[in-house]
Amino acid sequence: ISKMSIKLTILKTGETIISEMQELVSNNEQTTPHAYLLNNPHVVVTKDKDFLTEEEKNQKKFGIDVIMTPWIILSKDKKIILPTDCVMTIVEPIDGVRDMYLDKSKTFKIEENLNG
C-alpha cells in the first residue's frame, strides 16, 4: 500500500473529487491498484466569480470560485473505497486548491474531536 497523497480524481460520472488518496493492492506482485482508498473525499465545483473588483476588471482577470463539499454528504464514513473502473483520471491539484483542502482538513479533525 502506497502512502496517502492529495489528489484530484475525475470520475466517469464527471464529478471531480479531492481527497487524500491511497492505492490499494492485494500483494507486492500487483503492479496496478484494484481500488483506491479516499480519505475525507470532497466534491470540487468551480464557477465564475459573481463579483470582480474594479482592479480585477481593469487587469482583465476573470477569477473562479472553488467550492468543496463532502462527497457523500449523508455518510459518517470518512474513508471510502473507490473501484478503479469508476475513475477517468487522477491528477495533482494546483497549489491553491490543495491548500484550500488542507485548511478544510483541519476543520474535519476539529469536528471529529467535538463529536468523539
Side-chain angles (χ1 to χ4, degrees):
I1 293 181
S2 62
K3 68 180 181 59
M4 289 237 177
S5 57
I6 295 169
K7 298 288 185 188
L8 281 177
T9 306
I10 315 303
L11 303 183
K12 290 184 178 171
T13 60
E15 289 173 295
T16 300
I17 308 293
I18 190 167
S19 67
E20 284 186 79
M21 174 185 270
Q22 202 169 13
E23 294 180 344
L24 299 180
V25 292
S26 49
N27 60 45
N28 290 340
E29 286 85 58
Q30 193 175 341
T31 55
T32 57
H34 60 80
Y36 300 102
L37 180 65
L38 306 183
N39 190 22
N40 283 320
H42 276 59
V43 176
V44 180
V45 178
T46 58
K47 68 182 191 83
D48 292 335
K49 275 191 175 175
D50 293 331
F51 302 102
L52 292 176
T53 64
E54 282 301 316
E55 188 182 339
E56 287 170 325
K57 284 180 190 163
N58 293 339
Q59 294 174 358
K60 302 275 190 276
K61 286 186 179 174
F62 300 99
I64 56 169
D65 284 327
V66 177
I67 301 130
M68 291 182 192
T69 50
W71 180 32
I72 305 175
I73 202 155
L74 298 178
S75 176
K76 283 184 180 179
D77 295 338
K78 296 294 181 212
K79 294 184 187 224
I80 299 172
I81 292 177
L82 182 68
T84 55
D85 62 0
C86 296
V87 174
M88 183 78 76
T89 192
I90 299 164
V91 294
E92 289 288 331
I94 59 174
D95 292 344
V97 170
R98 183 178 184 278
D99 293 345
M100 186 178 167
Y101 177 77
L102 286 171
D103 284 346
K104 195 160 186 189
S105 295
K106 290 174 191 162
T107 62
F108 311 144
K109 290 175 180 62
I110 293 165
E111 285 169 20
E112 283 168 18
N113 290 343
L114 292 175
N115 295 334

